[in-house]
Amino acid sequence: MSRIRESFRKWLEGPKIRPWGILGPILVLLVCLPILRPLRHPEEISDDESARLATVQALVERHTLALDPAHAPESQLMRRGPQYYSDQPPVFAILLAGVYWIMIRCGSTFEHTPALAPYLLTLIGATVPVAWTAALIYRMARLFELARPWRAGLAIAAVFGTGLLSYAAVLNPHAPAATMLLASGGALVHVASSKKPRRGGGWFILAGFCAALAVALDPPAIFIAAGLIVVILTMRMSAGVRIGGVLLFLIGATPPIVLHATASALGSGEFVPVSVRRDLSGRVTVTAPPPPMTQLDFSDDDDLASRSWWLVAGKYIDRICAALFGSHGLLSHFPVLIFGVFGVGAVMHRHWPAWTKTLAGASAAGAVLVIGLYSFSQADWRDAMFATRWFILFVPLFFFWSGAWLKRNHSIPIYVGLAILLAFSTAVSIIGATDPYPRQGFDRYTAAGALMQLIDGTRPENSPPPFVRAK
C-alpha cells in the first residue's frame, strides 16, 4: 500500500499535460475531422468500406456475420452454403460492432442517422488510432534522447509525411494495424529501457496482444510481428527472463488470434481472409490471345530458357520499381521515407544495444517483405487506391528510426533537403486525405488524380451506384 501511495503522490505532483506530446494528436484531429469520408463524400463509399459497415450492422442488429447479398457489394462477398459473408478479416468489424452497439443505445443508427453513424465509426476506427500514433512516437522518441520539440516534430512528420494521415479519413484496417504494430514496439522499448525489466511482464503481454491484433486486422503484419519476438531474445536480461518474455508475448497474442479463428469459422470459414488472397492474385482481366506456336522458335532450348529467365527477372524488377517509384509508388508519393533508411543505417553503424538494432532490423525487414509480397504477386496497383494502402502498415514504425539520424549533426543543405521532401510528402498526404479510397480507384499518379478531383470535382461517369444499407 505504501508503494501505491507513493506512486499516486508522484503522479499528483507531476505534470498532467505535456503540450509537445499532445501537439501531434491535436493536429491530426484538426485536419481530419472536417474531411472524413462520410462528411465529404457521403454517397461515394467504396465496396470495401460498404462490406465492413454491412458486417457491423449485421452483427449488432441481427447477431450474425451473414450478409444480405441484396444490400452488400457483390465484389466483397463469398458464399458458404446458403449464406453470404464478407471476405474481409472479421476482427475489425467485431471491434466496430461494440462501438456501434453503444451508438445504438445513444440513438444513432445507420437508418436514423445515415451520415453520423459512419462518421463516428470512421473517427473511432481510423482517425483516433492515427492520432494515437503521433503520441506513441513522441513517447518512443525518448530512445534517441532528442529534445521535446524535435520529438514532437518527428511524431508529426511520421503521420503527416508518410501517408498515414490519408487513411485516417476513411474506414480501413491498415491504419489501426499500423498503430497496433507501433504500440507493440513501444511496449518492448519501454521494457528494454526500464531500470527494472523483471517487472515488465504486463508490457510483454501488451506487446503480444497489440502485435497479434495488428495481424488480425491486416494479415501481412505478421512479417513485422514475428520479428518482435526476436527483439525480446536480444534484450539485456537473463536467459530465463527473455524466455519468459517470449512466453508472455505469446500469451498476450492468443486472444486476438482465437477471436479471429472463431469468427472465421463462424463466418467465411477461411482462416486466411479471401480479401488478402484476392489482393495478391489481382483482378481478372481480359488478355490478348497467346501467339501461335509457329511464332515460337524451339531450335535452341537453352536460349529460350535464358530469354525466359531474363523476362521473368525483368517483370519483377519492373514491379518493384512500380511499388517504389510508380504511379502508386511509396517513394514517389512520400520521398521523406528515405530518411527512415538513413535512420536504420545509423542504428546499425553505431554502438546501440543489440535489442535496438534488432528492432530496427525487424522494422526494415518487415517493410521489405511486405513490399516484396505485393511486388512478386499479381496484385493490381489500381486496387492499391491512393499511393499504396497495403504499405501503410509499416510506414510509422519504419519512419520512427529517422530519429536516430536526427540525433547526429548535419549540414544546413541536408536539413534544407529534408524540409523540402517533408513539405512535398505532407502536401501529398493531405491531398490524399480528401479522398483516399474512391469507388473507382486510381489509374495514374494518384496525387495528381486526387488533386484534379479536389479542384474540379469530376468523377468517372461509370462509377458504381452507392451502397444501400439494409433497413
Side-chain angles (χ1 to χ4, degrees):
M1 290 300 295
S2 60
R3 183 178 299 172
I4 295 176
R5 286 196 299 269
E6 181 66 18
S7 300
F8 185 69
R9 184 186 63 81
K10 290 182 178 180
W11 179 82
L12 289 176
E13 294 177 352
K16 303 300 181 297
I17 298 178
R18 300 184 183 274
W20 289 110
I22 64 174
L23 179 60
I26 289 177
L27 287 178
V28 171
L29 294 176
L30 287 177
V31 172
C32 290
L33 289 179
I35 61 174
L36 295 187
R37 196 280 311 161
L39 188 63
R40 278 188 51 82
H41 309 292
E43 297 298 332
E44 298 175 2
I45 182 172
S46 66
D47 287 350
D48 183 270
E49 191 176 355
S50 297
R52 187 163 288 109
L53 292 177
T55 304
V56 171
Q57 184 179 23
L59 281 169
V60 178
E61 297 181 1
R62 300 197 304 274
H63 309 292
T64 179
L65 287 166
L67 303 179
D68 184 354
H71 299 94
E74 183 179 357
S75 62
Q76 305 288 319
L77 293 180
M78 63 167 296
R79 184 172 181 177
R80 184 186 181 190
Q83 303 290 341
Y84 289 86
Y85 299 92
S86 170
D87 62 2
Q88 302 165 336
V91 172
F92 192 36
I94 293 174
L95 297 178
L96 292 175
V99 177
Y100 184 54
W101 181 85
I102 298 174
M103 290 166 53
I104 288 181
R105 298 301 181 273
C106 297
S108 178
T109 66
F110 289 127
E111 181 177 358
H112 296 98
T113 55
L116 180 60
Y119 183 91
L120 293 176
L121 289 175
T122 304
L123 173 64
I124 297 173
T127 311
V128 171
V130 172
W132 186 29
T133 296
L136 284 171
I137 291 182
Y138 175 83
R139 177 69 178 181
M140 292 171 61
R142 297 174 64 181
L143 176 68
F144 306 124
E145 299 178 350
L146 297 172
R148 289 175 181 174
W150 283 101
R151 286 160 53 192
L154 177 64
I156 295 171
V159 173
F160 281 77
T162 62
L164 185 62
L165 180 76
S166 300
Y167 285 88
V170 65
L171 191 63
N172 69 98
H174 312 292
T179 303
M180 289 297 103
L181 279 179
L182 190 66
S184 180
L188 295 181
V189 169
H190 179 82
V191 175
S193 303
S194 174
K195 296 180 180 179
K196 298 179 180 179
R198 291 177 177 273
R199 299 181 180 179
W203 291 100
F204 285 124
I205 294 176
L206 179 62
F209 179 86
C210 292
L213 184 58
V215 176
L217 295 174
D218 197 1
I222 193 172
F223 293 119
I224 304 173
L228 298 179
I229 299 177
V230 183
V231 174
I232 301 175
L233 295 174
T234 57
M235 289 182 178
R236 292 181 294 184
M237 306 174 184
S238 65
V241 175
R242 283 178 286 172
I243 294 175
V246 172
L247 294 177
L248 291 174
F249 184 94
L250 296 176
I251 291 173
T254 301
I257 300 302
V258 171
L259 177 62
H260 170 78
T262 304
S264 298
L266 296 176
S268 64
E270 301 287 341
F271 184 79
V272 179
V274 178
S275 61
V276 176
R277 299 205 299 266
R278 185 185 68 242
D279 288 341
L280 294 175
S281 63
R283 62 179 62 177
V284 179
T285 57
V286 180
T287 58
M293 296 298 292
T294 55
Q295 294 182 6
L296 298 177
D297 183 11
F298 294 94
S299 59
D300 189 350
D301 291 342
D302 293 336
D303 181 62
L304 179 62
S306 175
R307 286 191 287 114
S308 300
W309 186 89
W310 282 108
L311 288 174
V312 171
K315 170 187 175 182
Y316 289 119
I317 291 174
D318 177 72
R319 284 187 63 84
I320 292 175
C321 292
L324 296 177
F325 308 105
S327 60
H328 292 258
L330 192 63
L331 297 180
S332 60
H333 285 76
F334 315 111
V336 75
L337 283 171
I338 194 68
F339 287 92
V341 179
F342 298 158
V344 173
V347 171
M348 295 300 179
H349 288 86
R350 297 191 67 182
H351 299 291
W352 291 86
W355 68 267
T356 309
K357 293 184 177 182
T358 305
L359 183 57
S363 306
V368 171
L369 289 173
V370 173
I371 293 174
L373 175 67
Y374 288 96
S375 297
F376 286 88
S377 68
Q378 302 300 317
D380 190 337
W381 294 120
R382 177 186 172 90
D383 291 335
M385 290 297 176
F386 182 79
T388 306
R389 61 184 173 92
W390 303 315
F391 299 162
I392 295 298
L393 176 69
F394 60 78
V395 289
L397 182 58
F398 179 73
F399 185 76
F400 162 75
W401 295 105
S402 61
W405 179 87
L406 286 173
K407 186 177 180 179
R408 305 173 63 181
N409 293 326
H410 303 280
S411 62
I412 293 179
I414 296 295
Y415 285 117
V416 171
L418 170 62
I420 293 174
L421 294 181
L422 180 59
F424 176 82
S425 301
T426 300
V428 170
S429 186
I430 293 175
I431 290 172
T434 60
D435 195 9
Y437 221 141
R439 291 201 310 270
Q440 70 274 11
F442 287 99
D443 271 329
R444 299 174 180 84
Y445 181 61
T446 61
L451 182 61
M452 291 301 101
Q453 291 180 5
L454 182 63
I455 293 174
D456 56 29
T458 58
R459 299 283 174 180
E461 296 181 357
N462 59 347
S463 60
F467 167 63
V468 179
R469 298 184 183 86
K471 295 184 179 181

